[in-house]
Amino acid sequence: MSLQVREVDRQFYRDHLEDFLPDVLLDIHTHVWRKEFRLSAPMSTRGPTWPRRVAEENTIEELLDTYARMFPNKKVTPLIFGWPERDVDLERTNAYTSWAAQQYQLPALLVTTPSWSASQVEERVRKGRFIGLKPYVDQAPPHIPAQDITIYDFLPRHHLEVADAHGWLVMLHLPRPARLRDALNLQHLLEIDSTYPNVKLIVAHIGRAYCKEDVGEAFTTLRASRRLLFDFSANTNAWVMEQALRTVGPQRIVFGSDLPIVRMRMRRICEDGRYINLVPPGLYGDLRDDPHMREVSAAEGERLTFFLYEELLAFRRAAEACGLTAAEIADVFHGNAARLIAMVERR
């Protein structure tokens, strides 16, 4: 289904984004999949349930059409990967991603499961012409409680070793309830940074730090990192973005959207350290059992624009607070990711 762009969206884009964004963007965090890839037998998943309310599927054609509608007069190139949760057929979603990447000449990542051997990962990347890996917390062995999962449970060392040997890109979603401030997560991030110097590790969503309370002493600790990169996909917290920019600098921050999830109409707030997506009434079904979703009045709902636009405005505020130059902004939105991808493709 084509994205519906309303006047409130066009006005928001004109007022806040059109002149700020460079003409060429590289979106390093997008999902493509078809709804028939979902497994018929129900599987428990560890991620939040609200993203499923936005889109049943996101074909490559829908993704490219979304860019055309959301970013008039801009050129956007996505890096693509499949839907990573356990209730999707991994073989089919990876095959579709590989086909889409070759059909449209796009970079792509392989969604992985930790049970694969290093040689299996290597062969799948080679055959699918992927440039790296997309591990995901949901793929950790099901007997491990969600609160106890470590990065190595779904991004095992033998996967990191082969990624390091080839200089691949790895898109990492942090586990554990404390997210970015979790001491074990930070320890493992610094270990990976120092032990696997050829891996281009991108920490998705700025480590899932959606509220100030998710940060703790993380950025003080992460000053010791040398290569870790961060995308700000599906994040609308300008303060968190500013801290990331001041910690690692704009050369290690990359633009990601998390499409199609950020097609959602919403505005995000934080309450007691928990993020809440404020959405129009009736648009996303019965929300009573979802602590991250809340409906607003019909009048306020009419004023809500896209999640992605809110993300981009937050980054603009962070960039202005840090005094980023136009060249640095262009690097965040294109140059940094383009150089990463070129480094992988040259090897």
Side-chain angles (χ1 to χ4, degrees), residues 3-106:
L3 181 72
Q4 300 302 307
V5 180
R6 305 187 325 213
E7 182 55 32
V8 67
D9 310 314
R10 287 186 284 268
Q11 188 67 46
F12 192 101
Y13 183 76
R14 287 193 299 265
D15 289 349
H16 302 297
L17 302 177
E18 187 170 24
D19 293 339
F20 169 72
L21 295 172
D23 291 336
V24 180
L25 298 87
L26 201 163
D27 182 352
I28 207 157
H29 191 135
T30 71
H31 300 273
V32 292
W33 81 100
R34 302 191 71 98
K35 57 187 174 185
E36 58 261 33
F37 300 164
R38 294 215 181 273
L39 301 172
S40 54
M43 298 276 291
S44 61
T45 60
R46 294 180 169 113
T49 58
W50 61 263
R52 295 170 178 269
R53 300 176 185 271
V54 182
E56 282 189 307
E57 64 179 0
N58 193 41
T59 66
I60 186 62
E61 293 80 12
E62 286 177 292
L63 177 64
L64 298 177
D65 180 69
T66 295
Y67 290 131
R69 293 171 185 272
M70 284 186 122
F71 298 102
N73 303 316
K74 308 287 185 185
K75 181 182 182 337
V76 188
T77 300
L79 181 150
I80 59 175
F81 38 90
W83 192 252
E85 295 189 347
R86 292 172 60 84
D87 63 349
V88 168
D89 187 317
L90 208 54
E91 301 297 337
R92 295 181 73 189
T93 196
N94 280 326
Y96 178 73
T97 302
S98 174
W99 170 85
Q102 293 173 59
Q103 184 77 8
Y104 291 92
Q105 298 184 307
L106 301 172

Side-chain angles (χ1 to χ4, degrees), residues 16 20 242 245-246 313-324 329:
H16 302 297
F20 169 72
E242 181 183 343
L245 283 166
R246 294 189 187 282
L313 177 57
F315 183 78
R316 177 176 187 166
R317 289 169 173 157
E320 290 173 349
C322 293
L324 263 59
I329 291 167

Side-chain angles (χ1 to χ4, degrees), residues 87-156:
D87 63 349
V88 168
D89 187 317
L90 208 54
E91 301 297 337
R92 295 181 73 189
T93 196
N94 280 326
Y96 178 73
T97 302
S98 174
W99 170 85
Q102 293 173 59
Q103 184 77 8
Y104 291 92
Q105 298 184 307
L106 301 172
L109 302 180
L110 175 76
V111 177
T112 60
T113 185
S115 61
W116 292 340
S117 68
S119 61
Q120 287 175 317
V121 170
E122 194 170 37
E123 181 69 2
R124 288 168 188 270
V125 168
R126 184 188 66 80
K127 282 189 173 180
R129 301 184 188 177
F130 296 102
I131 65 165
L133 312 179
K134 171 54 187 165
Y136 189 62
V137 60
D138 205 41
Q139 298 290 341
H143 69 273
I144 304 176
Q147 67 270 20
D148 296 332
I149 294 171
T150 74
I151 291 171
Y152 296 126
D153 288 325
F154 60 99
L155 177 59

